Amino acid sequence: MTTAGPLIFTPNKRKDVRVIFTRTVKVFCQGKLHGQFPARNLSLGGLFIEGVTDIPVGQDCRLELYETGLRSSLILKFSGMVRRKVEDGIGVSFTGMEDDSFMFLQTMVLYSSDDPIGVAEHFLEDFVPKSASAS
């Protein structure tokens, strides 16, 4: 088999599975509310927030997400850092969160994924001891 031109391969630098995530996120910088913005996608490592154009790369921030259900409400809090900035928003990587926030993230990614079995296997990779995976 031959190709008509050179192959271009652009590896995905992200190690975490991303899913579509349409919620509003409150963004706090330097202890003050910066605003509420829509999130576009989510992973265990971070999220993309649309509409934020004036927070520089490297800035620490705090994020709040309000998840409401029929019988309960949950406020999820994350610490993050702006890792990338594009014309329509920012990519924030998580630097810290509480256990319930992490469990929520896992659940959202698992149930929103096109490949939940592959995502579950990816989750398990973090719990398999390195010596066991080498054998």
Side-chain angles (χ1 to χ4, degrees):
M1 183 169 139
T2 62
T3 58
L7 293 176
I8 299 173
F9 178 71
T10 306
N12 187 347
K13 295 179 185 177
R14 294 172 181 91
K15 69 176 184 109
D16 295 311
V17 175
R18 290 180 293 152
V19 296
I20 295 172
F21 185 73
T22 53
R23 303 277 200 302
T24 300
V25 178
K26 282 188 177 181
V27 179
F28 296 84
C29 291
Q30 299 174 341
K32 296 180 183 175
L33 177 63
H34 192 74
Q36 288 187 210
F37 304 93
R40 180 188 309 165
N41 61 47
L42 172 75
S43 76
L44 291 181
L47 76 163
F48 184 83
I49 304 172
E50 294 181 330
V52 182
T53 58
D54 56 347
I55 300 176
V57 171
Q59 175 72 52
D60 289 321
C61 56
R62 188 170 54 86
L63 308 172
E64 287 185 1
L65 171 70
Y66 296 81
E67 187 66 23
T68 56
L70 293 175
R71 298 181 185 205
S72 65
S73 296
L74 183 62
I75 300 173
L76 304 164
K77 297 179 182 181
F78 308 94
S79 298
M81 177 182 281
V82 177
R83 297 290 184 186
R84 97 183 152 98
K85 183 175 176 179
V86 294
E87 186 176 305
D88 62 339
I90 57 173
V92 177
S93 66
F94 297 128
T95 58
M97 68 187 76
E98 296 176 357
D99 289 343
D100 58 347
S101 297
F102 184 67
M103 288 188 295
F104 171 81
L105 285 178
Q106 284 184 315
T107 302
M108 287 303 301
V109 171
L110 182 66
Y111 286 107
S112 299
S113 171
D114 292 337
D115 181 19
I117 293 173
V119 170
E121 289 172 348
H122 180 74
F123 289 167
L124 289 174
E125 288 174 4
D126 293 335
F127 297 102
V128 175
K130 298 296 181 198
S131 60
S133 62
S135 54

